[in-house]
Amino acid sequence: AVETEDLAKYYVMGPVTVRALDGVSVKIRRSEYLSIMGPSGSGKTTFFNMVGGLDRPTRGKVFIDEVDIASLDAYELAWLRAKKIGYIFQTFNLIPVLTAMENVTLPMVFTGVEREERLRRAREMLTRVGLGERLDHKPGELSGGQQQRVAIARALVNDPVIVLADEPTGNLDLHTGLEIINLLKTLNTEKKVTIINATHDLKMIDVSDRIFWLRDGKIERIETRAEV
Amino acid sequence: AVETEDLAKYYVMGPVTVRALDGVSVKIRRSEYLSIMGPSGSGKTTFFNMVGGLDRPTRGKVFIDEVDIASLDAYELAWLRAKKIGYIFQTFNLIPVLTAMENVTLPMVFTGVEREERLRRAREMLTRVGLGERLDHKPGELSGGQQQRVAIARALVNDPVIVLADEPTGNLDLHTGLEIINLLKTLNTEKKVTIINATHDLKMIDVSDRIFWLRDGKIERIETRAEV
Ligand SMILES: Nc1ncnc2c1ncn2[C@@H]1O[C@H](COP(=O)(O)OP(=O)(O)OP(=O)(O)O)[C@@H](O)[C@H]1O
Ligand SMILES: Nc1ncnc2c1ncn2[C@@H]1O[C@H](COP(=O)(O)OP(=O)(O)OP(=O)(O)O)[C@@H](O)[C@H]1O
Ligand SMILES: [Mg+2]
Ligand SMILES: [Mg+2]
């Protein structure tokens, strides 16, 4: 589903070069449930930004379903992202002037879903993440974990085949966190969605097929669930 | 150190009233290490906003060192907050156009600390949270957990007597999270700082003197470390 070849991202800051990613070559299979773990600052979000096509690498390639995303023009890339990838941002990135419902329906406007269907799907997804009574709240009228769940709902409504979840449970209590992990695992087993998590949450380990451990922009080791 | 009397915060949204806090009366002792836990949306951040004087309650009182903060004018409240309280926000609230160093020195400008001393303290605190090599990065050039640690450093540089930490480890890996918990615990035991955490992180339990469990805006139960 997703493959990277010597993926690197460097930030030059005067005399210093920060190696956010420093040569990552991995293959993530279709319908895999993968977790990427590692210290704060080790490159997880940067890896996501490269794989999600949100930013260009300094070196190396990203393939999504065999397509080298660097070969796509801006429109093709935007279409690929909207149709295939659901991105749950570590910092939520909700639109402050829109309600939860409006934030969640927005991606479906872009992919041409009918209005009735948009409202139905948004309401259903927000209810599934426990926000059925917060539909008309704007982000500033929601708790941290509620904002996180709006971001999760938004990533899932276009039926993506790949979900990039960056710290999806970071602001959630144990119980709500388990509900979200269950939701992702169900999408994975029932709908064959490829789930790629960047996470510090050790609860993710039990449901992951494999775990990539990142350190200083490199893959330190890869474990299978059996080994952990 | 901190006392609340029938503290309540209601948000009226058309026909619906959201009871974010619904009558909380608690006494938090000087030099206590307290954790407030509870489901996402149960009122932890709202409790902090009331106690930290960032917003006014719908009903009830907040006392900081015996002073009813509703009796303070805007200037007195701002001064109290700057001198006595260090606030670590769940959503960081860093200033995007300022570097880590500039974000951390800002509170000290307000309390009249000399420039040399400001730079010394900021550098020291950022190093203590592991960001010694990120001093000149702006928030957008930092990872999620690094931004969180800048917010932590900023809250501690004015030597507060009370720290309100809202999910301080939410974006941190196990190792870095333990370092932050150790830092807070050290401030507590060595400098007698009152630490009040809102958190989902079960690692906080071991170092807490007491734990308040919130549900639907009310205190459900209070436990001591011995009982947990
Ligand atoms: N401005 C607002 N208008 C309406 N409702 C609000 C507003 N701010 C907060 N709320 C509601 O108040 C409740 C408590 O919010 P709060 O942010 O205190 O929860 P929390 O315990 O910090 O949750 P989390 O663990 O997710 O951070 C939530 O249900 C939220 O939707
Ligand atoms: N725009 C930038 N300019 C300079 N350095 C950057 C920039 N963006 C990220 N970095 C650095 O790249 C490294 C990797 O960042 P990244 O956000 O990928 O880490 P992460 O693994 O997601 O961390 P966390 O667990 O804290 O979210 C960090 O050390 C960070 O300081
Ligand atoms: Mg990150
Ligand atoms: Mg909160």
Side-chain angles (χ1 to χ4, degrees):
Chain A
V2 174
E3 187 172 341
T4 70
E5 217 176 76
D6 192 33
L7 195 62
K9 181 69 176 177
Y10 300 149
Y11 294 103
V12 180
M13 305 188 73
V16 176
T17 296
V18 177
R19 299 171 183 243
L21 275 189
D22 200 15
V24 172
S25 305
V26 290
K27 271 195 185 71
I28 299 165
R29 303 158 206 142
R30 234 159 190 272
S31 304
E32 181 164 19
Y33 194 114
L34 178 83
S35 285
I36 302 176
M37 299 182 124
S40 171
S42 55
K44 302 179 293 298
T45 295
T46 307
F47 181 80
F48 269 31
N49 292 343
M50 302 299 113
V51 165
L54 295 175
D55 193 5
R56 294 182 171 284
T58 308
R59 188 184 76 227
K61 292 178 193 293
V62 174
F63 298 89
I64 304 229
D65 288 344
E66 332 267 301
V67 175
D68 178 355
I69 64 173
S71 69
L72 303 175
D73 64 39
Y75 184 81
E76 291 169 320
L77 183 60
W79 187 247
L80 168 83
R81 290 221 301 274
K83 290 295 285 184
K84 283 201 168 186
I85 300 173
Y87 200 134
I88 302 166
F89 294 89
Q90 182 168 13
T91 47
F92 318 155
N93 295 10
L94 300 177
I95 299 175
V97 298
L98 299 184
T99 65
M101 276 293 283
E102 289 164 346
N103 266 287
V104 173
T105 49
L106 205 55
M108 292 186 276
V109 175
F110 187 64
T111 52
V113 176
E114 291 288 327
R115 186 172 183 279
E116 283 305 311
E117 176 67 4
R118 291 203 303 266
L119 296 177
R120 190 195 67 76
R121 279 200 224 169
R123 194 170 293 130
E124 187 202 344
M125 195 56 79
L126 281 165
T127 305
R128 273 181 88 175
V129 298
L131 296 178
E133 293 175 13
R134 293 289 182 273
L135 304 180
D136 303 321
H137 285 234
K138 298 197 182 73
E141 297 165 334
L142 293 171
S143 78
Q146 290 168 341
Q147 291 176 45
Q148 187 160 40
R149 285 179 275 160
V150 175
I152 291 166
R154 181 181 61 180
L156 303 180
V157 281
N158 254 334
D159 266 337
V161 290
I162 298 166
V163 170
L164 299 177
D166 199 350
E167 312 282 356
T169 59
N171 283 280
L172 302 176
D173 54 281
L174 179 66
H175 182 72
T176 314
L178 284 169
E179 284 178 0
I180 293 304
I181 291 171
N182 266 331
L183 170 57
L184 294 172
K185 189 62 175 170
T186 303
L187 283 175
N188 176 252
T189 50
E190 293 186 359
K191 286 191 175 186
K192 308 299 177 207
V193 177
T194 308
I195 308 276
I196 307 172
N197 288 295
T199 184
H200 295 302
D201 191 346
L202 305 178
K203 303 196 288 295
M204 281 288 186
I205 294 181
D206 303 329
V207 297
S208 302
D209 296 321
R210 285 191 295 167
I211 301 170
F212 292 172
W213 293 91
L214 261 185
R215 183 180 290 279
D216 299 323
K218 290 195 172 85
I219 299 276
E220 195 179 43
R221 71 177 187 280
I222 298 177
E223 289 180 322
T224 62
R225 184 158 69 236
E227 293 167 327
V228 178
Chain B
V2 174
E3 186 171 343
T4 70
E5 219 176 75
D6 191 32
L7 195 62
K9 181 68 176 178
Y10 301 148
Y11 295 103
V12 180
M13 305 187 74
V16 177
T17 297
V18 177
R19 298 172 182 241
L21 276 189
D22 201 15
V24 173
S25 305
V26 290
K27 272 195 185 69
I28 299 165
R29 303 157 206 143
R30 246 180 172 259
S31 305
E32 183 165 17
Y33 194 114
L34 177 84
S35 285
I36 303 175
M37 300 182 125
S40 170
S42 54
K44 303 179 292 299
T45 295
T46 306
F47 181 80
F48 269 30
N49 291 344
M50 302 299 113
V51 166
L54 295 175
D55 194 6
R56 294 181 170 284
T58 308
R59 189 185 75 229
K61 293 179 193 291
V62 174
F63 299 88
I64 305 231
D65 289 345
E66 330 267 298
V67 175
D68 177 354
I69 64 173
S71 69
L72 303 175
D73 65 38
Y75 185 81
E76 290 169 321
L77 183 60
W79 186 247
L80 169 82
R81 288 220 304 272
K83 290 295 285 182
K84 283 202 169 187
I85 301 174
Y87 199 134
I88 302 166
F89 293 89
Q90 182 169 13
T91 47
F92 318 152
N93 295 9
L94 300 176
I95 299 175
V97 298
L98 299 183
T99 64
M101 275 292 283
E102 290 163 347
N103 265 286
V104 173
T105 50
L106 205 55
M108 292 186 276
V109 175
F110 188 63
T111 52
V113 177
E114 292 287 326
R115 186 172 182 278
E116 283 304 311
E117 176 68 4
R118 293 204 302 267
L119 295 177
R120 191 194 66 76
R121 280 201 224 168
R123 194 170 292 130
E124 187 202 345
M125 196 58 80
L126 282 165
T127 305
R128 273 180 89 174
V129 298
L131 297 179
E133 291 175 16
R134 292 287 181 272
L135 303 180
D136 303 321
H137 286 234
K138 298 194 181 78
E141 298 166 331
L142 292 171
S143 78
Q146 291 167 343
Q147 291 176 45
Q148 188 161 39
R149 285 179 274 160
V150 175
I152 291 166
R154 181 182 61 178
L156 303 180
V157 280
N158 254 334
D159 267 337
V161 290
I162 298 167
V163 170
L164 300 176
D166 198 351
E167 311 283 358
T169 59
N171 283 281
L172 302 175
D173 54 282
L174 180 66
H175 182 72
T176 315
L178 284 169
E179 285 179 358
I180 291 305
I181 291 171
N182 266 331
L183 170 58
L184 294 173
K185 188 62 177 174
T186 302
L187 283 175
N188 177 249
T189 50
E190 293 185 1
K191 287 191 172 184
K192 307 300 175 206
V193 178
T194 308
I195 308 277
I196 307 173
N197 287 295
T199 183
H200 296 300
D201 191 346
L202 304 178
K203 303 196 288 297
M204 280 287 186
I205 294 181
D206 303 329
V207 297
S208 302
D209 297 320
R210 286 191 295 166
I211 301 169
F212 293 171
W213 293 91
L214 262 184
R215 182 178 291 279
D216 298 325
K218 289 194 172 87
I219 299 277
E220 195 179 42
R221 73 179 186 276
I222 298 177
E223 290 180 322
T224 62
R225 183 156 70 237
E227 294 168 326
V228 177

